[in-house]
Amino acid sequence: MASSVPGPISLPESRFDLSTYWGRVRHCAEISDPRMLLTTNEDLQKAYKVVSSYKNGLIKETTQEFWKSKKVLDSTVHPDTGDKVFLPFRMSCNVLSNLVVTAGMLTPGLGTAGTLFWQWANQSLNVAINSANANKSDPLTTRQLIENYTVAVSASCGVAVGLNKLVPKLRGISPHTKLILSRLVPFAAVVTAGVVNVFLMRGNEIRNGISVYDKESGEEIGKSQRAAFKAVGQTALSRVINATPVMVIPPLILVKLQSGILKGKSMKIQNLANLGLVGSTLFVALPFAIGVFPQRQSMRRDQLEEHLQRRALSETVYFNRGI
């Protein structure tokens, strides 16, 4: 990201107001813009020069050229190393990368082997994206990465296969309801794995606490377990919210279409319709889901541990929620 460019002057976080939901939605839509995949090395070098000029005081104002350059860097390079992120794992490729595995998971009638394959593919992609974009100042150990990957794959595959076997055996519900429930099995599997993943990888934060800062002075007042629980809890909830549009809307619409205009059509046409629904939902709905929780979160002083309440000067403290 642009933050990797050296210079004494801090960069503005975004051209949008991140304290508002609409501002966060616009920001998320910008950093995931797939057009940034067309960025050339020449574009990257030009963007680097513009941002470097701002950080070193040669450019005094945030012009349109500056914002465009910052967007190029934010969507292409790692914020710690300054190196280009491998293309399939960049934020600008997020929609396209997820399109393939999400459409695969939502394909009707996969069977056990197909279900296991696509759940494995989805968790593999998640680990690759998280690893490529992780904080390099405190990287995960190989053991942590393997444990996280193993638990996430086991959780998603276990839930998916288990529910696929359970739903047909349910009694007292109509065949149409069973059909709806079967199409929502991938959603349940992805959400379960996502929540387990968050609490597994961020368990140390809950045990040891995270840094909280006084709102007025900006100084760190200590580490809070209560703030950590709120941060990790919101991040886990964000996994549910992020998965909901793309894992719920397309399969429900597809069920409706298969009883209407797609009835009797070949599997090729139905799969193309599924792909189109998933792609459209990813492009449109994902920024609205990602922008629900702000990255910089706040708490009232009286919600902190007693020893931290005495250190805070203002009534509000803030902390980095994480992703």
Side-chain angles (χ1 to χ4, degrees), residues 180-198:
I180 295 294
L181 291 176
S182 68
R183 296 293 175 87
L184 296 180
V185 165
F187 168 67
V190 168
V191 164
T192 301
V195 172
V196 168
N197 184 297
V198 170

Side-chain angles (χ1 to χ4, degrees), residues 98-113:
N98 279 282
L99 173 60
V100 177
V101 295
T102 303
M105 287 189 292
L106 296 178
T107 301
L110 280 176
T112 300

Side-chain angles (χ1 to χ4, degrees), residues 147-168:
E147 287 178 350
N148 177 45
Y149 176 68
T150 302
V151 173
V153 170
S154 300
S156 62
C157 290
V159 171
V161 173
L163 289 179
N164 276 333
K165 293 183 179 300
L166 175 64
V167 169

